[in-house]
Amino acid sequence: MHFVRTTPPRPIDVTAAFPELAPLARTAIRLHPRPGSPSVSDSSVGGPLLWPAAEPWPHCDATHEGTGWSESPAMIRLVRRRLARLHRDPDGPAYTPEEEAIKERIDAGPPQPVESPVPLLPVAQLYLRDIPLLRPPGQADLLQVLWCPHDHDDFPKPATALFWRSAAEVGGILAAPPEPKGADYDGYVPDPCLLAPEEVTEYPNYLDLSQELRELLEDPSRWQALGADLGSLYAGYEDREEYEEHPEAFYNAALGDSPGWKVGGWPPWGRTDPYPRHCAVCEARMVPLLTIASFEWSGSSHGWAPLEEQAAATARSHVAGQSPAQPTHVEVGSADNMQIYVCPASPEHPHTDLIQ
Ligand SMILES: [Zn+2]
Ligand SMILES: [Zn+2]
């Protein structure tokens, strides 16, 4: 760990008002990815993987229609770096010699139709020492998540692949893994980020609660019994008028599941009602492993922005393409989250994912 990010205390202790929620508390580890230069020995998003030189790099064999737009990951990263540089130094050169060299190398653009098979792109690398919530198989202490940065037939989303390995068993490291020639969306190419893992306690998304618990959260008298001045509690929130009538929406924004990249905890819902996912091998009900988030916080959930970044989180504007809430530049669905689920009975049973 190279830096720290701290989730502010929740505005109220939700279990004081709703002791019924206490048994549903779950631990999550917020990853807090922030731009950096991770090495293969770091936990990272979009960073280089500790990948054995002797092991073939994974590829996606699916057929890809393409979305009509395609750009190489190298060009996507170049454009982002250049915009950030020009923001810092508006009078700087249009292209630095280094940028010019990269541009010339990749100017031909990605092939159409999409190459096949497609080398996967690193999305996340998580060491058990940083994320003790992981439950690796056997002696493994490292989780590597990759994806194919194209849409796929069944659903418009990248196809994910998970690898567990023991870091000590990796001898020679693959120095220059192949990279996909194109990506269907800019948001399918994560920017390299270091992590500041932080353990938090979460409660279920409102949609994940039983009808009985939902009704309790909708009951204003339960909230008033807190003795808190609810008006001032809601004051910092965009949707405060809605909260007056629908305190359960405040619960969802500020007290339930945390937004952003995280391991474990309660999944975000919203695109659909929750539905259970069952293991294809043993039919066990699968559990959330990793949330790949488009945004670390939104207007309604800015109260989850770390203390170290509250000023940036509440700022009204930011430079285009440089939202502090989108440090990884990942965007899936329509500013949604990709949830990766695993089987609690065995990490070796196949995982599944969905967009919410
Ligand atoms: Zn694919
Ligand atoms: Zn299973």
Side-chain angles (χ1 to χ4, degrees):
M1 272 195 288
H2 305 254
F3 60 102
V4 169
R5 288 290 179 273
T6 316
T7 298
R10 296 301 80 212
I12 55 164
D13 173 6
V14 71
T15 56
F18 303 96
E20 299 88 343
L21 288 173
L24 299 174
R26 270 189 199 172
T27 300
I29 295 187
R30 300 186 73 190
L31 299 180
H32 299 304
R34 297 295 181 269
S37 303
S39 79
V40 295
S41 336
D42 291 311
S43 291
S44 65
V45 164
L49 303 184
L50 186 81
W51 194 272
E55 189 174 315
W57 189 258
H59 285 68
C60 178
D61 295 322
T63 52
H64 304 92
E65 299 280 326
T67 53
W69 184 91
S70 183
E71 191 55 271
S72 72
M75 182 61 99
I76 289 169
R77 293 189 200 105
L78 173 66
V79 168
R80 289 177 189 159
R81 274 206 307 275
R82 183 173 160 264
L83 286 178
R85 177 180 61 76
L86 287 171
H87 172 62
R88 287 192 307 271
D89 175 19
D91 299 325
Y95 285 90
T96 64
E98 186 206 2
E99 289 164 355
E100 196 70 59
I102 299 173
K103 195 165 158 290
E104 273 173 25
R105 181 165 55 78
I106 55 184
D107 243 357
Q112 292 288 359
V114 176
E115 69 192 311
S116 180
V118 178
L120 300 190
L121 197 61
V123 172
Q125 169 166 281
L126 305 175
Y127 282 91
L128 181 62
R129 59 161 199 262
D130 299 326
I131 323 283
L133 210 53
L134 294 172
R135 291 287 170 266
Q139 297 301 306
D141 58 1
L142 174 59
L143 171 65
Q144 295 169 328
V145 181
L146 300 90
W147 69 22
C148 170
H150 292 281
D151 280 345
H152 294 80
D153 288 349
D154 50 343
F155 199 84
K157 64 181 177 184
T160 52
L162 268 53
F163 295 86
W164 295 99
R165 67 176 77 253
S166 159
E169 284 174 12
V170 178
I173 299 163
L174 184 64
E179 192 167 81
K181 292 195 169 65
D184 278 358
Y185 292 98
D186 179 284
Y188 289 177
V189 179
D191 254 8
C193 286
L194 287 162
L195 309 181
E198 180 203 20
E199 194 173 298
V200 295
T201 300
E202 294 189 335
Y203 297 92
N205 184 284
Y206 171 74
L207 294 172
D208 245 339
L209 293 171
S210 66
Q211 187 60 32
E212 191 186 14
L213 282 171
R214 287 189 197 189
E215 283 169 14
L216 289 181
L217 284 174
E218 290 161 12
D219 177 1
S221 68
R222 289 290 291 261
W223 293 86
Q224 280 147 11
L226 275 172
D229 173 359
L230 295 179
S232 65
L233 194 61
Y234 302 157
Y237 288 85
E238 260 177 22
D239 302 321
R240 57 187 171 277
E241 285 171 20
E242 186 196 348
Y243 298 159
E244 303 281 347
E245 281 188 44
H246 296 287
E248 73 277 13
F250 176 68
Y251 166 84
N252 231 18
L255 304 170
D257 57 302
S258 66
W261 288 66
K262 65 184 179 186
V263 165
W266 283 95
W269 292 102
R271 287 284 150 202
T272 69
D273 280 338
Y275 58 93
R277 285 136 314 282
H278 296 280
C279 174
V281 174
C282 73
E283 295 187 4
R285 183 161 178 174
M286 300 178 90
V287 294
L289 172 70
L290 174 68
T291 301
I292 294 169
S294 296
F295 286 89
E296 289 297 297
W297 59 81
S298 66
S300 60
S301 65
H302 70 81
W304 289 95
L307 291 172
E308 294 83 357
E309 291 166 318
Q310 284 279 311
T314 47
R316 292 219 166 264
S317 63
H318 58 263
V319 178
Q322 294 185 49
S323 165
Q326 207 173 21
T328 64
H329 279 99
V330 165
E331 196 157 338
V332 287
S334 302
D336 294 319
N337 301 288
M338 179 183 274
Q339 268 280 324
I340 294 183
Y341 289 83
V342 287
C343 175
S346 169
E348 280 155 344
H349 290 175
H351 75 285
T352 186
D353 58 41
L354 83 163
I355 300 276
Q356 278 292 323

